[in-house]
């Protein structure tokens, strides 16, 4: 039976968070982890940074806006993620019907019936074609012409609806504010979807296992937002094709166990941002954060604190101090000099990333 240490080391290595694994570009990071949690744009950038080698904030912006190799939009669980651009359409086709159905009650509460949503989709498509990129505030101003109140949640849900129906996606930042663009303008159509139906479901599960294994099908269901019955179907499809193998009670892609590097004399220390994939990509938390300290990482109110990990195990939380170049680390327990040195190096890297002129 695999022990907890080997499991969290394998998971961290898969996420380019241990074993000295680092990717050379923002696109390579996103392809490796498939989906970077992106509710907070700065946290998403830091999530790419921590898995990369000397990746700057400007390099990430270039990947988003010039290369357009990565894209931010609503995907897994209906939350914002950054994924490879050439995966945007098939993932949306697979996931969005369930997300839209699950949002039906909220639409009714806000008075957004089918007719209103269709008229809003038409208006958003028209104004983005004529005037895009536009911020949410600018789209909201246009939506008021349909009688949509500018305050409250209705404008957000209509913008998100347009994203889930394949009309728009996030485009370039304007003065650090997100804008929206037509998906088909920003990411030109490539013909048929890369995967559809069961093939898409199996591919999503394969991508998940590549980035998160060892994991259980229940972990995949929690991460993707799909029903456990769908996850069970995905596991069956992968098993029938010989793609996965058992790792105790968990599953992995075949051949991946042999890739686990041996223990290093120097722990691999990384500073994860808030809401990082590594912390929320599973149904349970105990393999990444010691039970005694979980309340410090998940203090309540939907918050997930920035966290320091060493070889895949959380050892501290961190936050930016009052000074523009200050980072405070709050260790769960006293840390040895080797880990302290790794923390200092990460602090310097984070400050340099956030303040490149410092």
């Amino acid at each position: 039976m695999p022990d907890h240490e080997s499991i969290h080391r394998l998971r961290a290595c898969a996420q380019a968070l241990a074993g000295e694994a680092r990717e050379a570009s923002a696109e390579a990071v996103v392809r490796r982890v498939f989906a970077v949690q992106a509710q907070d744009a700065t946290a998403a950038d830091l999530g790419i940074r921590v898995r990369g080698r000397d990746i700057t904030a400007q390099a990430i912006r270039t990947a988003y806006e010039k290369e357009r190799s990565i894209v931010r939009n609503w995907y897994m669980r209906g939350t914002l993620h950054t994924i490879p651009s050439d995966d945007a359409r098939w993932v949306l086709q697979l996931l969005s019907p369930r997300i839209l159905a699950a949002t039906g009650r909220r639409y009714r509460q806000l008075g957004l019936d089918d007719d209103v949503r269709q008229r809003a989709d038409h208006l958003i498509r028209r104004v983005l074609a004529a005037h895009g990129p536009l911020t949410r505030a600018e789209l909201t101003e246009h939506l008021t012409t349909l009688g949509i109140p500018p305050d409250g949640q209705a404008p957000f849900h209509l913008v998100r609806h347009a994203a889930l129906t394949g009309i728009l996606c996030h485009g370039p930042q304007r003065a650090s504010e997100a804008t929206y663009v037509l998906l088909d303008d920003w990411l030109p159509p490539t013909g048929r979807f890369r995967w559809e139906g069961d093939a898409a479901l199996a591919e999503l599960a394969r991508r998940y296992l590549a980035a998160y294994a060892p994991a259980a099908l229940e972990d995949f269901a929690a991460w993707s937002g799909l029903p456990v019955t769908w996850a069970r179907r995905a596991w069956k499809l992968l098993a029938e094709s010989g793609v996965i193998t058992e790792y105790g009670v968990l599953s992995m892609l075949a051949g991946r166990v042999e890739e686990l590097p041996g223990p290093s004399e120097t722990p691999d220390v990384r500073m994860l941002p808030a809401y990082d994939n590594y912390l929320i990509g599973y149904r349970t938390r105990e393999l990444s954060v010691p039970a005694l300290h979980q309340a410090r990482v998940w203090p309540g109110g939907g918050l997930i604190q920035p966290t320091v990990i060493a070889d895949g195990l959380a050892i501290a939380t961190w936050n930016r101090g009052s000074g523009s170049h200050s980072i405070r680390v709050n260790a769960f327990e006293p840390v040895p000099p080797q880990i302290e040195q790794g923390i200092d190096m990460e602090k310097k890297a984070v400050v340099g990333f956030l303040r490149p002129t410092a």
Side-chain angles (χ1 to χ4, degrees), residues 41 72 134-138 170-180:
R72 183 177 178 228
L134 296 176
T135 65
R136 185 188 299 179
E138 290 165 341
H170 281 65
Q173 283 193 354
R174 186 199 305 160
S176 299
E177 186 174 2
T179 69
Y180 302 94

Side-chain angles (χ1 to χ4, degrees), residues 205-237:
R206 190 192 69 79
R207 300 288 188 98
Y208 173 78
L209 286 170
Y212 289 89
L217 64 87
E218 292 85 359
D219 295 317
F220 170 64
W223 170 83
S224 65
L226 294 171
V228 171
T229 53
W230 287 39
R232 193 172 292 118
R233 172 69 176 159
W235 250 238
K236 181 181 179 182
L237 291 166

Side-chain angles (χ1 to χ4, degrees), residues 1 3 11 38 65 102 119 121 131 133 135 137 146 149 160 177 186 195 214 244 266 291 301 322 326 336 340 344:
M1 175 69 74
D3 58 39
R11 288 177 171 182
E65 298 177 11
R119 287 192 293 129
D121 283 349
H131 308 293
T135 65
L146 300 179
R160 182 172 175 264
E177 186 174 2
W186 191 249
W195 291 277
I244 60 175
T266 304
S322 56
S326 172
E340 192 69 53
D344 288 342

Side-chain angles (χ1 to χ4, degrees), residues 146-220:
L146 300 179
I148 303 299
D151 301 324
Q153 288 292 303
F156 161 76
H157 277 285
L158 290 173
V159 170
R160 182 172 175 264
H161 184 271
L164 292 170
T165 51
I167 293 170
L168 63 78
C169 64
H170 281 65
Q173 283 193 354
R174 186 199 305 160
S176 299
E177 186 174 2
T179 69
Y180 302 94
V181 293
L182 291 175
L183 175 67
D184 285 343
D185 283 351
W186 191 249
L187 306 176
T190 55
R192 287 178 54 83
F193 290 116
R194 299 177 71 188
W195 291 277
E196 297 182 86
D198 276 355
L201 177 62
E203 180 63 16
L204 188 69
R206 190 192 69 79
R207 300 288 188 98
Y208 173 78
L209 286 170
Y212 289 89
L217 64 87
E218 292 85 359
D219 295 317
F220 170 64

Side-chain angles (χ1 to χ4, degrees), residues 283-337:
R283 184 174 55 88
T284 59
R285 307 163 176 175
E286 66 270 9
L287 293 180
S288 57
V289 182
L292 184 63
H293 305 296
Q294 287 185 10
R296 297 175 65 173
V297 179
W298 287 271
L303 297 176
I304 303 175
Q305 298 287 8
T307 305
V308 182
I309 61 172
D311 290 337
L313 185 66
I315 60 169
T317 59
W318 67 274
N319 62 286
R320 297 178 68 181
S322 56
S324 59
H325 310 295
S326 172
I327 289 178
R328 293 189 298 237
V329 171
N330 306 297
F332 300 154
E333 299 173 356
V335 297

Side-chain angles (χ1 to χ4, degrees), residues 113-131 134 139 142-143 145-146 148 158-159 161-163 165-168 182:
D113 61 21
D114 288 346
D115 178 65
V116 171
R117 298 199 304 273
Q118 289 177 16
R119 287 192 293 129
D121 283 349
H122 177 75
L123 181 144
I124 288 172
R125 189 187 297 276
R126 179 166 51 81
V127 298
L128 284 178
H131 308 293
L134 296 176
L139 283 176
H142 286 284
L143 288 169
T145 64
L146 300 179
I148 303 299
L158 290 173
V159 170
H161 184 271
T165 51
I167 293 170
L168 63 78
L182 291 175

